[in-house]
Amino acid sequence: MAHPYIPTFVSFATHNCNVTDHEAAETSASFLSSLRVVLGDRGLLECISVALVASGPVAQATVQTIPITPNTHSMRLIFLFVERIISEMSKEDIASMPVLITGSGSEDEGSAVGGSTLRNFWLAAFGSLANVAGSATPSNEAMWPVFDAYTAFFLKFKEKTCAQFWTKITDWAINRQQQQATNNAAAEGGADSKRRRAEGAAAEGNNASDEVDPEGGYTKRQVVIHFVYLSLYSHLLRKLKSIMTFSFPIVSNVLVELLQRYNPTPFVALSAKREAGTVFAQSAASDNTGGAWITRNKALSGPAFATATALMNSILLMSEAQIPEDPTLAA
């Protein structure tokens, strides 16, 4: 990156301590606008991407940048600005920016410091949402501006390209590489297998305070990533409805895997309900299925319970999106 110090300025300008009121927020927004004039859209988005993970070229330049997280920064300020940039760009302009279209997922997670691999802006953004303190999950106030900006980006492209984007996000969210390593280790069996699974999951979290689930092999951070992924998917389903049916083949197996991880019970109930067609959607809307399951599973702790709830919401919204409207009701 040609401007190694700019991410520090972005992080400083959008930190909560500098966005204490409306006037301060306006000043920070004006600063971002000035940076856009100087750097251009691509340069600014690359700088924001670096600030979201605070690694790579910033570390090389020995500049101490505070990573942008929901606890420390105004996600609303940053991503309302990003959404405006995306909305004003053409599809061709966006397609010419590797930081938005391609890029790496591994460094977005901060797993490498000092590398030169280009970060994918969106994976960096979603990864930053998972950097919440303690055992919390990011709030809707923090997530929705990020999701709205991504939706503006998503709507610039046709179904086939959107399917490629969603596959990339899905692979990131379930950590395909780590999953393969876990499967290989499990095949070896015994204590060594458990040790490898725990070590791999701990490495993924890149955080010494992350506790590892000895059975599922997930760190708390990975659970929160699942929560962010499912919340994003629910957001897109609510906004785009039947447009998202192209994603069902990509998502279905993942949802089954996550159901088996967090609790397989609702999948059986939902499968039975699904045969009833529109009755399933009506039941979901009245909370007869989801609400009862949530009540039974309140023993799940913190992020795991939030993720399980988000999982249920995604499944219910998928069903509603693919059930055709009854013409007799419309009349």
Side-chain angles (χ1 to χ4, degrees):
M1 186 180 65
H3 311 281
Y5 291 89
I6 300 299
T8 304
F9 302 153
V10 171
S11 177
F12 181 78
T14 57
H15 195 279
N16 287 336
C17 67
N18 295 316
V19 192
T20 54
D21 54 35
H22 179 72
E23 183 177 355
E26 286 293 322
T27 300
S28 293
S30 296
F31 176 73
L32 292 178
S33 296
S34 298
L35 286 180
R36 183 184 181 187
V37 172
V38 174
L39 302 176
D41 293 336
R42 176 174 178 171
L44 180 56
L45 290 172
E46 287 180 357
C47 288
I48 295 174
S49 178
V50 172
L52 287 166
V53 292
S55 63
V58 173
Q60 290 180 337
T62 66
V63 178
Q64 185 63 44
T65 299
I66 301 174
I68 293 174
T69 73
N71 299 107
T72 58
H73 289 73
S74 174
M75 305 300 281
R76 182 176 184 275
L77 171 64
I78 297 167
F79 285 94
L80 281 177
F81 187 77
V82 170
E83 182 181 2
R84 191 177 78 192
I85 293 176
I86 296 297
S87 298
E88 293 174 359
M89 294 171 66
S90 67
K91 182 180 74 172
E92 291 71 25
D93 290 337
I94 293 175
S96 69
M97 294 188 183
V99 68
L100 293 175
I101 302 298
T102 56
S104 166
S106 60
E107 282 202 2
D108 297 321
E109 286 302 295
S111 60
V113 175
S116 59
T117 303
L118 180 68
R119 295 160 182 76
N120 179 278
F121 179 85
W122 301 112
L123 298 188
F126 303 142
S128 74
L129 289 174
N131 290 330
V132 287
S135 59
T137 52
S139 66
N140 288 338
E141 183 180 3
M143 291 192 298
W144 285 352
V146 183
F147 295 169
D148 284 339
Y150 185 75
T151 303
F153 162 81
F154 208 63
L155 288 172
K156 295 282 187 177
F157 297 90
K158 293 184 178 180
E159 181 178 303
K160 182 178 179 180
T161 305
C162 288
Q164 295 172 352
F165 292 155
W166 193 250
T167 298
K168 186 179 184 70
I169 292 176
T170 300
D171 289 346
W172 165 80
I174 65 172
N175 202 352
R176 294 278 191 195
Q177 293 180 344
Q178 174 56 35
Q179 186 181 66
Q180 184 60 48
T182 299
N183 292 340
N184 293 341
E188 297 176 9
D192 186 59
S193 171
K194 289 188 176 182
R195 176 183 61 79
R196 288 170 182 260
R197 287 160 55 193
E199 288 176 353
E204 181 281 330
N206 199 32
N207 187 335
S209 66
D210 252 348
E211 296 179 11
V212 178
D213 177 348
E215 295 303 321
Y218 293 142
T219 63
K220 287 180 180 177
R221 174 173 166 73
Q222 186 64 38
V223 173
V224 177
I225 287 174
H226 291 162
F227 171 77
V228 171
Y229 170 76
L230 293 166
S231 297
L232 171 62
Y233 191 53
S234 294
H235 186 85
L236 291 172
L237 285 169
R238 280 192 293 267
K239 292 273 187 178
L240 308 182
K241 301 185 185 302
S242 60
I243 294 176
M244 288 297 292
T245 54
F246 75 85
S247 68
F248 292 176
I250 303 169
V251 173
S252 296
N253 288 339
V254 174
L255 295 183
V256 172
E257 290 175 18
L258 294 178
L259 280 166
Q260 292 172 341
R261 164 60 182 87
Y262 292 102
N263 192 326
T265 304
F267 181 64
V268 177
L270 288 170
S271 296
K273 286 275 187 181
R274 186 167 181 160
E275 296 177 2
T278 55
V279 176
F280 173 79
Q282 294 167 356
S283 174
S286 64
D287 218 22
N288 291 336
T289 302
W293 175 79
I294 290 171
T295 302
R296 290 196 306 271
N297 288 277
K298 282 186 176 178
L300 287 172
S301 61
F305 175 68
T307 302
T309 304
L311 182 58
M312 288 293 295
N313 289 338
S314 294
I315 294 170
L316 298 177
L317 287 167
M318 281 179 69
S319 176
E320 292 174 2
Q322 67 183 344
I323 294 173
E325 183 178 357
D326 189 334
T328 59
L329 295 177

